[in-house]
Amino acid sequence: TDLKHIRNFSIVAHIDHGKSTLADRLIQSTNTVADRDMKEQLLDSMDIERERGITIKANTVRIDYQAKDGETYVLNLIDTPGHVDFAYEVSRSMRAVEGSLLVVDSTQGVEAQTLANVYQAIEADHEIVPVLNKIDLPASDCDRVAEQIEDVIGIDSTDAVQVSAKSGIGIEDTLEAIVTRLPAPTGDRDAPLKAMLVDSWYDAYLGVVVLVRIMDGTLRKGQRITMMQTGANYPVDRIGVFRPEMAQVDELGPGEIGFITASIKQVRDTKVGDTITTEKKGAEEPLEGFKPSQPVVFCGLFPVDSAEFEDLRGAIEKLALNDASFSYEMETSAALGFGFRCGFLGLLHLEVIRDRIEREYNIELITTAPSVIYHVYMKGKDNEPGEMIELHNPADMPDLSKVDHLEEPRIKATIMVPDEYLGDVLKLCQDRRGIQEDLTYAGSRAMAVYDLPLNEVVFDFYDRLKSVTKGYASFDYQMTGYREDTLVKMSILVNEEPVDALSVMVHRDRAELRGRAMCEKLKDLIPRHMFKIPIQAAIGGKVIARETLAALRKDVTAKCYGGDMTRKKKLLEKQKAGKKKMRQFGKVDIPQEAFISALKMD
Ligand code: GTP
């Protein structure tokens, strides 16, 4: 295909504003997929995505469209995920296309993720076409939302396309806007090959599949290619495009988007953002790389039943094969035995992986408190600054006497909320050590920008925000850097024994509050035993909070008067089942859920 007849684009939107529905409609109306094969949310391929209604892997589809000018165009859509945890995937796919449809729900207006995603599109120099969706609904107000897009984002919205992705209104207009308003790609067919590695994943039949965007040159079957960053060479087995099922082609030229397979063993061997060129007469300079996706949240995953450790290892290795942004290493905990310390892009990523292990591999897990990466600066000799250690696990915190100072990661959070909930949101941010940077209004919604410690956000901030605003707030964040603060490691002792999996890093000023809250929670979560159990929070050797769980007085079966044996048996079975979900620490059984619940602050 010649460049003039190609349009590459993505769709950016806040979650639930209708991105997937619109993509489905574009695919359907161009007969890319026969009606009988059309299923909803075609691009959300994984079941778990479908269930949760979120798009995780960037997907792509090639659409042939005969435009009103009589010409046939190739439209390549790269679908981008909408959730904050996957912002990095948004930025990588943005670099592979020239334009974006900005979908805004015309009954709702601009939200935090609308802003975050559209800024990425602007940063990638995209031409942007605003699309107002859900005009079939009575609450739709296109004029107001168009004005808001101009005010808040600064994009001309006079020619915004009005659509109902659900009932199929305005789909033709959208396709025409893509052809007439988005630019064609540029590139040189005769130059050495430069292809951008946009994404890669593991396919059970094909092995590693690599999504590429050709910038210059031509990619052909049988060519030997080099990954410029890693230096690895492979012969190309297959080349193809997504319609949206995989269809093989002989070559891909400049401006085109498609996939290749080569005998690549694992996803880890393909670095997103790498430049692919030919082994012979290849390009000299690679393309400007992407920001690599770094895990920012870490937690321990341990099997409830320690006999399942090897099964867990197998599950984690398989999942990592298909997800280069998920990292893991073995961890041993005095309390929990063998497990893995895993790194995730955010909490949603963590939840998705944990769910998959439990569901697809049938392994019950204990998840320890999520932690961010702290920078620990050690004391050097003779007042010289010492080395910096990245701390991924509070349990590894070095002895305080050897530590000079600590730094924690900070974020810039953008929260959009209707006026009436603003007070509660500001209080929440304040409670989480936030510093207000900006507060502006657009219509009856406020936009608050806060500088917050990531540590205060990773755990339950989003849940709390949703609950104090009855679900009306939207939230997005970006990492900004590290800053020094007075942070300490707080340990929890149950029956005088420290439980390493419960230690957390906290701000010194909040330690008492957090310690007390955790001890109270644990007192409710741990079942009574035949003896009294002290539960304590401590910093260094110093106890800062304490609760006591009273001893159990009676045998649970006592109230059965000895006569009713079936009832007695049932009770004992119930107890046994309950036991399975517990882990023993010294003489105390702690239920699995305690590790997460103890940290929630309400
Ligand atoms: P994620 O994939 O989770 O990021 O969400 P999304 O932005 O892709 O939204 P999705 O397409 O899943 O749509 C969200 C909800 O809005 C679904 O229940 C759709 O059926 C509904 N919806 C989408 N477009 C329209 C529309 O034009 N009119 C109406 N009434 N509902 C729509």
Side-chain angles (χ1 to χ4, degrees):
T1 324
D2 72 278
L3 290 161
K4 272 200 315 241
H5 291 97
I6 300 176
R7 296 293 181 275
N8 297 319
F9 69 105
S10 58
I11 305 179
V12 294
H14 186 73
I15 200 154
D16 279 346
H17 281 198
K19 189 184 61 183
S20 305
T21 313
L22 179 64
D24 286 355
R25 237 12 111 238
L26 296 176
I27 293 167
Q28 201 180 25
S29 75
T30 48
N31 296 317
T32 303
V33 180
D35 276 344
R36 70 188 145 77
D37 292 336
M38 193 70 200
K39 46 188 183 198
E40 263 184 54
Q41 310 251 315
L42 205 71
L43 292 178
D44 293 357
S45 54
M46 278 157 58
D47 278 353
I48 200 154
E49 289 179 40
R50 207 176 291 256
E51 253 167 56
R52 289 172 169 246
I54 44 169
T55 319
I56 295 165
K57 263 259 160 292
N59 280 295
T60 182
V61 61
R62 170 167 168 154
I63 300 168
D64 290 327
Y65 172 62
Q66 174 143 34
K68 287 191 177 145
D69 64 7
E71 309 273 321
T72 301
Y73 291 83
V74 170
L75 313 181
N76 289 307
L77 162 61
I78 292 194
D79 189 23
T80 57
H83 193 275
V84 290
D85 278 4
F86 304 105
Y88 84 100
E89 288 209 340
V90 178
S91 82
R92 70 157 88 148
S93 32
M94 293 280 173
R95 296 275 304 270
V97 298
E98 288 77 22
S100 285
L101 301 181
L102 168 64
V103 174
V104 182
D105 182 337
S106 63
T107 69
Q108 303 281 331
V110 172
E111 295 288 347
Q113 283 156 35
T114 315
L115 284 176
N117 292 334
V118 81
Y119 288 150
Q120 302 230 34
I122 292 169
E123 222 167 278
D125 278 332
H126 283 190
E127 194 60 45
I128 295 164
V129 174
V131 175
L132 306 175
N133 189 28
K134 307 200 187 179
I135 60 165
D136 59 296
L137 295 175
S140 163
D141 188 348
C142 289
D143 292 342
R144 181 184 68 85
V145 174
E147 200 181 300
Q148 199 198 11
I149 294 174
E150 299 205 349
D151 288 352
V152 181
I153 310 172
I155 296 177
D156 181 5
S157 302
T158 22
D159 293 326
V161 189
Q162 304 193 358
V163 310
S164 165
K166 194 165 180 181
S167 35
I169 306 165
I171 300 306
E172 180 93 28
D173 295 342
T174 310
L175 289 162
E176 282 299 314
I178 292 167
V179 168
T180 56
R181 291 165 64 182
L182 299 184
T186 53
D188 181 356
R189 184 173 282 276
D190 300 320
L193 176 69
K194 266 190 192 177
M196 180 192 290
L197 200 163
V198 182
D199 200 359
S200 64
W201 59 91
Y202 189 82
D203 180 285
Y205 298 103
L206 302 174
V208 175
V209 179
V210 179
L211 180 67
V212 293
R213 154 72 200 262
I214 314 295
M215 309 311 276
D216 283 321
T218 316
L219 186 66
R220 292 191 190 85
K221 230 161 131 168
Q223 246 168 357
R224 283 194 68 89
I225 50 165
T226 302
M227 310 276 185
M228 292 184 81
Q229 240 182 62
T230 60
N233 296 314
Y234 305 95
V236 177
D237 295 334
R238 296 184 191 79
I239 300 185
V241 294
F242 295 94
R243 295 188 167 277
E245 78 288 350
M246 295 168 130
Q248 292 204 42
V249 297
D250 291 329
E251 58 167 59
L252 289 172
E256 294 197 280
I257 292 174
F259 70 86
I260 56 171
T261 66
S263 43
I264 303 168
K265 293 266 157 42
Q266 44 177 339
V267 172
R268 270 160 210 280
D269 298 334
T270 57
K271 290 232 181 320
V272 166
D274 201 350
T275 306
I276 298 172
T277 190
T278 47
E279 195 181 47
K280 288 194 188 116
K281 297 194 184 140
E284 308 263 303
E285 289 288 313
L287 299 159
E288 227 179 285
F290 298 16
K291 272 183 272 174
S293 53
Q294 299 284 8
V296 290
V297 180
F298 288 78
C299 80
L301 297 181
F302 294 85
V304 169
D305 177 354
S306 52
E308 288 185 331
F309 172 73
E310 284 304 328
D311 297 340
L312 176 61
R313 184 207 295 277
I316 283 180
E317 280 172 357
K318 280 228 181 68
L319 289 172
L321 220 54
N322 201 7
D323 184 348
S325 46
F326 162 53
S327 72
Y328 65 95
E329 61 183 49
M330 216 181 108
E331 177 183 9
T332 46
S333 150
L336 297 172
F338 291 113
F340 292 91
R341 189 85 192 157
C342 301
F344 307 91
L345 299 168
L347 272 198
L348 180 70
H349 190 207
L350 186 162
E351 270 176 44
V352 168
I353 299 250
R354 188 190 59 201
D355 273 18
R356 292 189 63 185
I357 294 174
E358 295 204 325
R359 245 197 295 184
E360 293 169 26
Y361 297 90
N362 241 323
I363 302 169
E364 267 190 272
L365 294 173
I366 293 174
T367 315
T368 65
S371 168
V372 299
I373 304 173
Y374 293 92
H375 287 174
V376 182
Y377 289 84
M378 306 303 288
K379 278 182 188 154
K381 277 190 206 129
D382 313 320
N383 288 332
E384 289 286 310
E387 61 168 339
M388 187 272 278
I389 298 171
E390 282 193 356
L391 182 72
H392 294 199
N393 186 351
D396 300 333
M397 177 71 191
D399 192 48
L400 265 187
S401 63
K402 297 195 181 94
V403 173
D404 186 69
H405 69 279
L406 278 130
E407 285 181 355
E408 66 177 342
R410 311 277 305 192
I411 59 163
K412 180 174 149 174
T414 305
I415 300 164
M416 304 207 49
V417 63
D419 282 355
E420 65 233 74
Y421 303 111
L422 182 62
D424 294 318
V425 169
L426 299 186
K427 181 173 180 308
L428 176 66
C429 291
Q430 228 74 54
D431 286 348
R432 300 298 170 93
R433 299 193 279 132
I435 300 165
Q436 196 182 96
E437 288 191 340
D438 199 9
L439 184 60
T440 47
Y441 296 86
S444 61
R445 289 175 81 79
M447 182 173 95
V449 179
Y450 266 85
D451 169 30
L452 279 154
L454 178 62
N455 154 42
E456 301 281 346
V457 172
V458 287
F459 196 61
D460 61 347
F461 183 83
Y462 195 51
D463 292 342
R464 297 290 305 148
L465 183 69
K466 286 270 168 210
S467 98
V468 300
T469 63
K470 304 208 163 50
Y472 283 110
S474 61
F475 167 69
D476 197 82
Y477 71 82
Q478 256 167 290
M479 293 272 289
T480 48
Y482 275 77
R483 191 183 315 151
E484 181 177 352
D485 221 320
T486 33
L487 301 156
V488 290
K489 171 179 155 183
M490 183 169 78
S491 317
I492 300 289
L493 294 86
V494 176
N495 203 26
E496 318 281 344
E497 301 270 354
V499 179
D500 56 358
L502 281 169
S503 13
V504 286
M505 301 296 298
V506 289
H507 192 272
R508 182 64 191 88
D509 294 348
R510 309 215 158 210
E512 272 83 10
L513 204 72
R514 289 288 302 270
R516 232 176 297 136
M518 279 182 77
C519 290
E520 274 168 27
K521 275 266 169 72
L522 284 168
K523 188 180 157 194
D524 291 338
L525 290 162
I526 299 175
R528 289 191 186 190
H529 285 58
M530 301 307 289
F531 46 91
K532 193 167 76 176
I533 302 171
I535 301 168
Q536 298 158 306
I539 296 173
K542 188 165 163 268
V543 172
I544 55 166
R546 178 193 169 106
E547 291 282 334
T548 307
L549 182 61
L552 193 64
R553 294 227 185 89
K554 284 192 193 112
D555 180 356
V556 266
T557 56
K559 53 177 171 277
C560 299
Y561 308 110
D564 187 349
M565 279 310 288
T566 40
R567 186 168 148 72
K568 200 166 189 171
K569 232 175 158 172
K570 259 193 198 143
L571 264 172
L572 283 171
E573 263 162 30
K574 224 162 131 193
Q575 250 193 347
K576 232 163 96 190
K579 269 253 165 61
K580 258 178 58 190
K581 292 205 169 187
M582 308 241 196
R583 286 296 291 256
Q584 240 195 345
F585 298 89
K587 294 189 321 199
V588 181
D589 288 323
I590 302 184
Q592 172 195 11
E593 40 152 9
F595 294 91
I596 287 287
S597 305
L599 289 144
K600 292 214 167 129
M601 293 173 284
D602 334 281

